[in-house]
Each structure stands twice: as structure tokens, then as C-alpha cells.
Amino acid sequence: MLEAAASLFAERGYNGVSIEELGAAAGVSGPAVYRHFSGKPAVLSALLVGVSEDLLEGGKAVMAESATAEAALRGLVEFQVDFALRQPNVIRVQDRDLNSLPAEDERTVRSLQRQYVEVWVDALSALHPDCGLPLLRHRAQAVFGLINSTSHTLHDKMKPRETLRLRSLLETMAWAALNA
């Protein structure tokens, strides 16, 4: 149901989708959506809070599994690129509809995002100990913009070879930006 919601919200915006359309896209009736969620705001919250939690957990796992600072940063780049290529609809929904979340859930998403940025800052500071933390945060944010902007140009019919080339390009560009 969340995948269907991400697709519809990305295509038409949160406000442009009804609960009946969400149900139909998930293969159930509109009222059946209420068996899983209290309403459309809860669907958006589950989608955006859930992905923010997944990113933070994944970023922490990359850090924990990496033997060196360089391996950690490269792993984070690969992790973010993979997310952007697999979940472009979620990125588009986040970009457009974050402010449609209930206030408490928006605060939760923003807190999780800040924590995720700090995972990147920790990896960057190990490689660039002489850089100040504000500059490292700017580098991380710039790379998120670079990688995540791709979600606005992806299409469903990309061939695996095209995806591999795009993945390589994004990883190369992100690495260069982080170490500029």
C-alpha cells in the first residue's frame, strides 16, 4: 500500500489523491485502507517517517561495517545512490509533500534527517579532520541534492545498463563533491 501511495503521491501530489484512489492502486477498496491506516495523513506519515528511519538505520549500519573512514564514506555514497535509484517516488513525495505531514510527524522526519546528516558528517570528519563541521554538513547536503535530484529525471523503463551507468556517474560525482 505504501508503494502505491508513493507512486500516486509522486505523480499527482498528496492533495491530488483520494483515499479511494489509494485503495484502488493497492488493490483494495477505499474503506479497506482504514483497516491499516487512520486516514490519508497516516499513510503519508508511515511513508516518510518509515523511509527516514530506514535511511538512518542503513547509514549507521554502513558506518559500523566499514573498516576505514574512506570505506565508510564510499559505503554511504553507494547506500544513498541505491536508495535514490530504487525509491525515486519517495524522494519526489518528500520534496513536494513534507509540509503536508501532521506537525509531530514532520518534526520526527526532520529529526531523523538531521541524525542521518550527522552520520555523514562523522564519516567526512574522519577523512577531513581540519574542516569545520558546518562545511562538512554543507558538503553532505550538497551531495544529497546531487544524488536525490536524479529522482526527478528517472523513468520506469530504464534499462539495467542505463541504471548501472547512472549509478557509476552519481557515485563518481558524489565522491568528487564530498572531497572538493
Side-chain angles (χ1 to χ4, degrees):
M1 195 169 296
L2 292 177
E3 190 174 313
S7 179
L8 286 174
F9 293 162
E11 180 184 329
R12 299 195 312 237
Y14 171 77
N15 291 322
V17 177
S18 70
I19 202 79
E20 290 78 20
E21 291 167 320
L22 279 175
V28 299
S29 68
V33 173
Y34 292 107
R35 289 189 200 125
H36 305 281
F37 300 98
S38 61
K40 196 169 75 163
V43 174
L44 183 63
S45 292
L47 180 67
L48 296 182
V49 171
V51 77
S52 297
E53 291 169 341
D54 291 347
L55 284 168
L56 178 57
E57 288 174 23
K60 287 179 177 180
V62 167
M63 292 290 286
E65 296 164 3
S66 299
T68 67
E70 181 176 333
L73 192 56
R74 287 190 185 278
L76 287 170
V77 168
E78 290 170 9
F79 176 72
Q80 186 67 34
V81 168
D82 185 62
F83 167 73
L85 294 176
R86 283 185 304 101
Q87 299 287 336
N89 287 334
V90 174
I91 292 170
R92 288 194 295 268
V93 171
Q94 165 109 8
D95 286 350
R96 180 177 38 215
D97 294 313
L98 179 63
N99 63 352
S100 295
L101 282 173
E104 183 176 329
D105 292 332
E106 184 177 350
R107 282 191 298 277
T108 298
V109 168
R110 292 196 184 279
S111 173
L112 291 164
Q113 289 174 336
R114 282 189 300 275
Q115 292 173 66
Y116 184 58
V117 169
E118 291 309 307
V119 169
W120 282 68
V121 170
D122 289 346
L124 278 164
S125 65
L127 279 179
H128 303 285
D130 296 334
C131 282
L133 294 179
L135 178 60
L136 297 178
R137 284 186 191 95
H138 288 303
R139 286 184 187 192
Q141 293 284 3
V143 165
F144 295 149
L146 183 153
I147 294 170
N148 292 348
S149 68
T150 304
S151 68
H152 297 283
T153 61
L154 290 177
H155 54 83
D156 293 337
K157 295 181 175 60
M158 274 187 76
K159 296 177 183 164
R161 190 175 188 156
E162 290 175 288
T163 302
L164 283 175
R165 280 196 299 256
L166 181 56
R167 176 183 303 279
S168 177
L169 175 67
L170 288 171
E171 289 174 2
T172 300
M173 291 174 70
W175 185 255
L178 288 168
N179 293 288

